[in-house]
Amino acid sequence: MKKIILASVALISAMICADAQSVFPNPIIRNIYTADPSAHVFGDTLYIYPSHDEDNAFSFSMKDYHVFTTTDMKTFSDRGVVFSPFEQTTWAKKAAWAPDCVERNGKYYLYYPTDQKHIGVAVSDSPLGPFKDPLGHPLLSIDSPGVICDRDFIDPCVFIDDDGQAYMFVGQNTMCCIKLNEDMISYDGQVHIIEGLVEFFEAAWCHKYNGKYYLSYSNSSLTGHQPEIVYAMSDNPLGPYEYKGVILDPVNSGTNHHSIVEFKGQWYMFYHNADLSISRGEPFTGVRRSVCVDRLTYNPDGTIQKVIPTHAQE
Ligand code: FUB
């Protein structure tokens, strides 16, 4: 009997390992280089809106946005270009970096940084685009009243609370936040500065779990260590936040940038690294990155365990 029980335990463990490997064929996107994945669930599908690192790139010269979809976390499909800011706006000129996308009242809003100083918004009737610029100008810029930013004004992340209020977190070194109006393409004119973060650098991400607000971000590489993804918690989306610790150790691409989302009852962290370009023997540039995903687990007290990366299988 004891032998049967031990054999059953071994079999179940093997099945779990096999499932973990097949669920995470990291990097999950291989047809193009991608980074800064913003993952959202719309209906029964998970959508990923990443930056599009260019083949052979030596700088952050990204020009357009693709969207990727999955329904099973095993197959990730490139659904093509959904927005090209330099072709589809009159004001964006360079550096189409980390975007985010949310749904409200059946419309989809893509928030994106350009020129290292503007945040634009584009709208579509479908999460697959095409998106269009409804404003003809940025939604928010580094010189908008109330913005504090001594570096690049980038990395918008939009979180919609259960009461319908939408918040956009954005910036480098100082995290700014605006409350978006119901139309999602304007705000109340006030810029809030988020307090309680430790070494905030970039890549803000806000999510809610069991009534608590979680702000995660990339911490500063200016203080002598490679950036980690860390997080803080609060009872209020505008803070103040309480720093909690590291959830992703440094990756091999220099930058890191992530998103956290629940899909079909399981929590995940999407992030990027340079495993794919390294495995191809390319020179290290830091700008040929690839999106990965791994499971994210909470402790009973709501704190988050460190994510264990699954590495490239190429
Ligand atoms: O992808 C360009 C920039 O690199 C992003 O805006 C940052 O978050 C970092 O990942």
Side-chain angles (χ1 to χ4, degrees):
M1 186 63 181
K2 196 175 167 192
K3 273 185 185 166
I4 293 173
I5 292 170
L6 286 174
S8 305
V9 169
L11 180 62
I12 291 166
S13 304
M15 285 166 67
I16 290 169
C17 290
D19 179 57
Q21 280 183 358
S22 62
V23 165
F24 307 121
N26 284 332
I28 54 173
I29 298 173
R30 292 162 180 249
N31 63 316
I32 59 173
Y33 286 123
T34 52
D36 312 324
S38 291
H40 287 274
V41 177
F42 303 132
D44 66 354
T45 301
L46 184 139
Y47 295 77
I48 307 168
Y49 299 85
S51 301
H52 175 191
D53 285 3
E54 298 185 296
D55 288 352
N56 308 316
F58 284 93
S59 66
F60 289 124
S61 54
M62 297 87 97
K63 295 184 176 65
D64 59 24
Y65 298 110
H66 287 232
V67 62
F68 295 79
T69 58
T70 185
T71 53
D72 59 8
M73 292 299 290
K74 292 178 183 168
T75 308
F76 297 84
S77 306
D78 184 352
R79 310 300 292 268
V81 175
V82 292
F83 191 61
S84 304
F86 315 139
E87 292 171 12
Q88 293 179 248
T89 75
T90 53
W91 51 268
K93 303 298 178 210
K94 66 179 177 71
W97 292 1
D100 195 12
C101 183
V102 293
E103 182 270 343
R104 177 164 211 145
N105 295 333
K107 287 199 181 297
Y108 297 83
Y109 298 87
L110 182 76
Y111 299 86
Y112 57 96
T114 70
D115 302 275
Q116 291 152 270
K117 61 182 179 185
H118 297 309
I119 308 299
V121 57
V123 187
S124 174
D125 291 330
S126 163
L128 298 175
F131 288 85
K132 290 183 182 157
D133 175 16
L135 294 176
H137 57 78
L139 167 64
L140 189 70
S141 294
I142 196 166
D143 56 0
S144 297
V147 166
I148 296 178
C149 184
D150 62 3
R151 212 164 182 273
D152 295 338
F153 195 55
I154 56 170
D155 293 357
C157 147
V158 174
F159 164 74
I160 304 179
D161 206 351
D162 301 331
D163 63 3
Q165 178 62 57
Y167 300 82
M168 184 175 80
F169 299 86
V170 58
Q172 256 187 351
N173 287 345
T174 301
M175 195 187 292
C176 296
C177 182
I178 58 171
K179 290 166 81 171
L180 292 161
N181 293 332
E182 179 83 22
D183 65 10
M184 299 298 276
I185 59 171
S186 64
Y187 68 107
D188 63 9
Q190 203 182 342
V191 178
H192 304 262
I193 304 302
I194 302 299
E195 292 179 1
L197 309 180
V198 174
E199 285 194 316
F200 167 64
F201 180 48
E202 61 182 6
W205 185 261
C206 183
H207 77 279
K208 193 173 185 179
Y209 173 72
N210 276 353
K212 299 280 185 195
Y213 300 89
Y214 293 72
L215 260 185
S216 43
Y217 54 91
S218 177
N219 65 8
S220 181
S221 53
L222 303 177
T223 49
H225 62 82
Q226 289 296 304
E228 305 153 317
I229 299 294
V230 298
Y231 78 108
M233 292 171 65
S234 178
D235 292 324
N236 186 316
L238 292 175
Y241 279 81
E242 186 181 338
Y243 180 77
K244 292 294 178 184
V246 177
I247 38 178
L248 185 69
D249 283 332
V251 291
N252 58 7
S253 46
T255 64
N256 58 8
H257 191 128
H258 70 300
S259 58
I260 294 171
V261 67
E262 184 182 20
F263 184 49
K264 298 187 177 175
Q266 172 66 52
W267 284 87
Y268 297 96
M269 177 188 275
F270 289 79
Y271 59 96
H272 67 238
N273 64 29
D275 279 2
L276 189 59
S277 61
I278 289 170
S279 74
R280 291 173 174 168
E282 298 184 353
F284 178 77
T285 63
V287 292
R288 298 178 201 176
R289 301 163 292 177
S290 300
V291 167
C292 299
V293 65
D294 278 290
R295 286 194 172 94
L296 179 135
T297 306
Y298 297 91
N299 293 309
D301 66 357
T303 55
I304 301 177
Q305 295 178 10
K306 260 193 188 179
V307 170
I308 300 168
T310 309
H311 283 286
Q313 311 281 323
E314 200 175 64

